[in-house]
């Protein structure tokens, strides 16, 4: 969309800029600025420049009353047109010394914006380091000088080169299959996308490192992605030990803005050899990219859950094709989409990825034996009493480990002390005033906290409804479990890791270190501890209450639970000296459920084939393609009203395209958060291109519609393409 002639730009471009004042502007350039989808500005804006600017250059341009950073998108073909400052505003300044963002970067942004239905400007500006967007040319120059001076100091010489382990036969086979030319020839097809399907502890990381080494040897850069910031320090240490003397940088949301800018610059200038990062790292410009690795590719953290809801895993695959570099997706429990893509066509899959397998654990370590504890056979608690958190047999098993000096990991995916407080007299419950959810009782600071909107208050002395003094916690969270275990096993040292105890910077590292140092016998935790950590002395893992996922309405709940339990099991028996007799306990009311049966055999393949059958019958991904239209309003009617009309507007189009279903709008699972009502409408399509066409053509209708619905109480709306939760 072109910018209409604005008011005359009278002030001289940025007084005191480091660059010479720009001569009289004459050439039209198109610049992307941050403009959300909802503003209706979906494309670049027109500005004037004195000379043609290369696409990808960063500039400062006037926008309304502000001067903002933008990316030169493309220069219209030079024609005879001469523009003057009363027709278009001139570019204020160009950020000097910054190489333009490469074509591949711009193509990735364009794809992501189109696919996820966001404006180009929003997408582009969202993925640049926040600090880069705020500096003007003078500030930028100063920053750039400091940065280059710091770079002049040579990387430290490696003190001791780590001895390489001998590859296991499975690793060798995989690496032989991956031995492809690292620099693809001009005109050759893009290399394959690989799924490395390997058990936890099969040595996938070693494969990543060896393959990374090949790329580095060939003079290329490596992008190594992990799902969570928590997991970057461990991998960073391993990568640093292996590639001493190389430039390794990390990119994730836990960095300071200055660090993030620095690391991003090193990558963009081609000076960083390895970029280790979370989902946002997928957008890092890398001029010498030679390999992309996505570790734990199934992890939901790769999907951004607000704003531009992109999947970094899927974008990584796209980027690999675009830049002709191999992409290596690794997991013990691949997402069903990836599994389907890697399944040969002869086996009913798409045969799009190449599958590589490493079924065995390295060394003598074996996966723990899975024991399903049938809760229906446990003694019934006396009336009015709560069943114990752990069955006696499980408690005994843990006590045995404690006595032997081994560690246990007890998983409960609910933080806080108790999910709800209740009055024994009138039945009052600790509901959140602003959300359709209960507030959670946290005993440490005696607060009631809403895990949705954050509303926190001290626990009332008496029931706010009837004044009764007997209000009591119902149910159990990690805090209570920790307390009960300490009571039941007074000789054991019990520790806890969840989002509450790791809020402070460094707290998680400290907690993990104390587990590694053997200062904790029993570790209570949420899913946070199930991932990635290499605990050496854990020989028992217990899932306290995993049944809920079996009957959840979300079609991905089972897949996620299976991955979590298997990953948790992978924490046990990693050290061969204690692996013998390691166990994974599952407390359940449904010991014969197929999910647990498959888990007990560590049979991901069987589990996946069952799930795929169900998905195919139900018309769900990967056999169908989904988008969710979400709306938030002052009332449920406002939110749903918008969705109903949004569907009506595009019904005819959907019918034309064919194979598309628009479901009736429904309230979301937690329908009110912070006094805003939320609703959603599912769109299901047989083909991805049809879905994309529908969305592209619908967006303008919905934008206009949203304007009409704002006075009627619509607050926000968004499209979520390939939603994780429905
Ligand atoms: P995964 O990522 O598949 O869960 P890891 O890469 O963490 O597995 O490997 C598990 C353990 O095995 C690590 O301690 C790692 O150092 C070790 N390891 C990996 N490959 C080898 C090998 N070829 N020889 C000896 N030890 C290895
Ligand atoms: Zn009461
Ligand atoms: Zn709330």
């Amino acid at each position: 969309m072109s910018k209409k002639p604005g008011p005359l730009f009278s002030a001289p471009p940025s007084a005191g800029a480091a660059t010479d004042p720009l001569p009289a502007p004459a050439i039209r350039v198109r610049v992307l600025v941050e403009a959300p989808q909802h503003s209706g500005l979906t494309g670049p804006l027109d500005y004037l420049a004195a000379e043609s600017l290369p696409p990808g250059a960063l500039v400062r341009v006037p926008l309304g009353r502000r001067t903002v950073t933008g990316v030169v998108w493309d220069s219209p073909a030079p024609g005879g047109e001469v523009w003057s400052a009363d027709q278009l505003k001139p570019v204020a300044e160009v950020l000097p010394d910054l190489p333009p963002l490469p074509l591949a970067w711009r193509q990735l942004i364009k794809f992501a914006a189109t696919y996820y239905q966001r404006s180009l400007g929003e997408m582009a500006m969202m993925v640049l380091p926040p600090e880069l967007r705020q500096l003007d040319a003078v500030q930028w120059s100063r920053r750039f000088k400091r940065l280059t001076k710091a770079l002049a100091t040579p990387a430290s010489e490696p003190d001791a080169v780590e001895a390489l382990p001998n590859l296991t036969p499975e690793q060798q086979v995989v690496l032989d299959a991956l031995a492809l030319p690292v620099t693809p020839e001009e005109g050759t097809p893009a290399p394959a996308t690989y799924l490395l399907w390997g058990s936890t502890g099969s040595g996938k990381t070693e494969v990543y490192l060896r393959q990374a080494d090949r790329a580095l040897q060939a003079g290329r850069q490596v992008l190594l992605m992990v799902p969570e910031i928590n997991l970057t320090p461990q991998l960073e240490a391993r990568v640093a030990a292996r590639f001493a003397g190389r430039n390794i940088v990390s990119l994730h949301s836990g960095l300071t803005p200055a660090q993030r800018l620095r690391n991003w610059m090193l990558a963009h200038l081609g000076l960083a050899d390895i970029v280790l990062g979370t989902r946002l790292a997928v957008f890092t410009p890398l001029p010498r990219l030679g390999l992309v690795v996505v570790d734990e590719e199934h992890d939901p953290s790769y999907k951004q859950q607000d704003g531009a809801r992109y999947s970094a895993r899927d974008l990584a695959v796209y980027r690999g094709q675009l830049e002709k570099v191999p992409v290596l997706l690794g997991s013990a429990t691949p997402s069903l989409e990836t599994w389907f893509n890697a399944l040969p066509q002869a086996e009913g899959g798409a045969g799009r990825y190449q599958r590589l397998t490493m079924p065995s654990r390295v060394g003598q370590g074996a996966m723990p034996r899975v024991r399903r504890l049938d809760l229906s056979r446990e003694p019934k608690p006396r009336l009015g009493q709560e069943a114990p958190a752990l069955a006696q047999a499980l408690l005994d098993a843990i006590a045995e480990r404690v006595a032997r000096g081994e560690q246990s990991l007890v998983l409960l995916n609910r933080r806080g002390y108790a999910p709800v407080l209740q009055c024994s007299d009138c039945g009052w419950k600790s509901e959140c005033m602003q959300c359709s959810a209960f507030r959670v009782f946290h005993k440490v600071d005696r607060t009631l906290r809403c895990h949705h909107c954050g509303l926190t208050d001290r626990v009332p002395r008496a029931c706010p409804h009837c004044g009764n003094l007997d209000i009591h916690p119902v149910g159990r969270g990690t805090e209570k479990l920790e307390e009960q275990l300490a009571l039941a096993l007074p000789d054991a040292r019990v520790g806890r890791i969840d989002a509450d105890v790791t809020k402070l910077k460094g707290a998680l590292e400290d907690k993990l270190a104390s587990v590694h140092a053997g200062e904790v016998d029993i570790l209570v935790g949420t899913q946070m501890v199930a991932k990635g950590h290499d605990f050496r002395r854990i020989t028992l893992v217990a899932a306290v209450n995993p049944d809920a996922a079996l009957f959840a309405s979300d079609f991905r709940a089972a897949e996620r639970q299976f991955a979590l339990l298997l990953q948790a099991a992978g924490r046990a028996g990693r050290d061969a000296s204690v692996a013998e007799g390691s166990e994974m306990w599952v407390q359940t009311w449904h010991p014969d459920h197929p999910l647990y049966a498959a888990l007990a055999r560590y049979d991901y393949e069987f589990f996946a084939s069952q799930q795929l059958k169900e998905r195919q019958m139900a018309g769900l991904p990967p056999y169908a393609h989904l988008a969710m239209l979400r709306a938030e309003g002052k009332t449920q009617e406002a939110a749903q009203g918008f969705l109903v009309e949004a569907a009506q507007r595009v019904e005819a189009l959907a019918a034309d395209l064919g194979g598309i279903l628009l479901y009736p709008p429904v309230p979301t699972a937690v329908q009110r958060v912070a006094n805003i009502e939320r609703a959603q409408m599912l769109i299901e399509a047989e083909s991805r291109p049809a879905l994309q066409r529908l969305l592209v053509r619908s967006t303008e209708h919905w934008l206009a519609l949203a304007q009409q619905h704002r006075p009627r109480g619509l607050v926000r709306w968004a499209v979520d393409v390939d939603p994780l939760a429905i």
Side-chain angles (χ1 to χ4, degrees), residues 16 18 96-97 135-149:
D97 304 317
L135 302 179
D136 63 24
V138 178
Q139 294 166 322
W140 164 251
S141 282
R142 232 180 274 140
R143 170 60 56 81
F144 189 76
K145 273 198 206 89
R146 235 188 301 150
L147 193 66
T148 39
K149 208 176 291 166

Side-chain angles (χ1 to χ4, degrees), residues 71 132 230 340 444 515 533 569 641:
V71 182
L132 189 61
N230 297 339
F340 178 74
V444 255
V515 178
H533 306 287

Side-chain angles (χ1 to χ4, degrees), residues 29-169:
V29 291
R30 290 151 52 79
V31 178
L32 278 187
V33 294
E34 178 150 36
Q37 180 80 299
H38 297 178
S39 69
L41 301 176
T42 51
L45 306 181
D46 285 354
Y47 287 92
L48 289 181
E51 51 196 1
S52 74
L53 297 171
L58 284 179
V59 291
R60 302 275 295 168
V61 292
L63 182 71
R65 291 196 197 144
R66 297 175 306 147
T67 304
V68 299
T69 299
V71 182
V72 175
W73 200 240
D74 45 17
S75 327
E81 325 150 287
V82 174
W83 299 81
S84 65
D86 54 352
Q87 288 167 295
L88 294 172
K89 294 187 198 178
V91 168
E93 50 190 13
V94 181
L95 294 195
D97 304 317
L98 188 69
L101 293 157
L103 177 64
W105 183 87
R106 300 197 308 276
Q107 288 173 322
L108 182 65
I109 294 296
K110 186 166 179 196
F111 172 78
T114 311
Y115 189 83
Y116 294 107
Q117 305 294 311
R118 310 302 294 193
S119 77
L120 269 172
E122 180 189 13
M123 202 75 208
M125 298 320 279
M126 177 192 82
V127 307
L128 290 177
E131 223 184 359
L132 189 61
R133 307 191 309 237
Q134 286 149 13
L135 302 179
D136 63 24
V138 178
Q139 294 166 322
W140 164 251
S141 282
R142 232 180 274 140
R143 170 60 56 81
F144 189 76
K145 273 198 206 89
R146 235 188 301 150
L147 193 66
T148 39
K149 208 176 291 166
L151 293 177
T153 36
S156 59
E157 281 300 307
D159 340 316
V161 179
E162 193 193 56
L164 291 183
N166 291 325
L167 293 174
T168 65

